[in-house]
Amino acid sequence: MDSQDAVSALSSVGITPVPVEPILGGWAYWTFDVGSRFIARFPRNDEIAEAAVREIAILPALSNEVSYLVPIPSRIGVWLDRPFMVYSRIPGRGLTQADDSRELLFALRDMLAQLHRFPVERASELLGCGSPQRVWRTY
């Protein structure tokens, strides 16, 4: 997928063509910066498309349960029979070795703890996968 394909797909969900720049490095999604305001993610294969459906279902609810920003799909479309999502860009940057600190480790610990407090039953309901006990035995 290239920027022109992304512009075409984005126009199908009402996003006027603006600068669309690829964000390189992902293996699961083609990812684009859309006008420095949005992120657009397009699954690279059918397996990742299934994961995208799950993300689209759970992210809005998850965002209400944690104290940090979570991508919330604001536009959802279909490209090559696979769902894609667009969400507001979350400010920040990648971690580097220079960020190594005790405070950061505690902050990450707290973020993960919040994530793991999300009710399993609610996740199962949102994902439509049945009871957590049944799903656990299946895998």
Side-chain angles (χ1 to χ4, degrees), residues 5-6 23 26 28-30 40 54 57-58 72-73 80 84 89-90 92 95 98 106 111 125 139:
D5 292 330
I23 298 173
Y29 291 88
W30 287 290
R54 292 189 298 271
I58 204 165
I72 303 171
L80 295 181
F84 70 88
R89 186 182 181 106
I90 295 175
L95 297 175
F106 286 136
M111 291 173 75
E125 174 187 317
Y139 295 98

Side-chain angles (χ1 to χ4, degrees), residues 12-13 18 23-24 27 29 31 37 50 52 54 56-57 63 76 82 86 88 97 101 105 111-112 119 128 130-131 137:
S12 76
V13 294
V18 293
I23 298 173
L24 303 177
W27 61 268
Y29 291 88
T31 306
R37 187 170 168 214
E50 291 174 19
R54 292 189 298 271
I56 289 166
S63 73
I76 300 163
R82 295 179 184 140
V86 179
S88 293
Q97 257 187 333
S101 72
L105 290 175
M111 291 173 75
L112 287 171
S131 77
R137 283 190 288 268

Side-chain angles (χ1 to χ4, degrees), residues 54-131:
R54 292 189 298 271
E55 282 188 68
I56 289 166
I58 204 165
L59 285 173
L62 180 61
S63 73
N64 293 323
E65 300 290 329
V66 296
S67 65
Y68 49 89
L69 295 175
V70 172
I72 303 171
S74 58
R75 308 276 174 94
I76 300 163
V78 176
W79 181 75
L80 295 181
D81 296 324
R82 295 179 184 140
F84 70 88
M85 69 182 98
V86 179
Y87 51 85
S88 293
R89 186 182 181 106
I90 295 175
R93 62 174 180 73
L95 297 175
T96 69
Q97 257 187 333
D99 294 315
D100 185 17
S101 72
R102 196 169 171 80
E103 294 77 20
L104 176 64
L105 290 175
F106 286 136
L108 291 173
R109 175 201 64 190
D110 293 343
M111 291 173 75
L112 287 171
Q114 288 178 45
L115 177 64
H116 285 269
R117 280 195 293 270
F118 188 80
V120 174
E121 294 78 14
R122 178 73 175 130
S124 293
E125 174 187 317
L126 290 166
L127 299 174
C129 60
S131 77

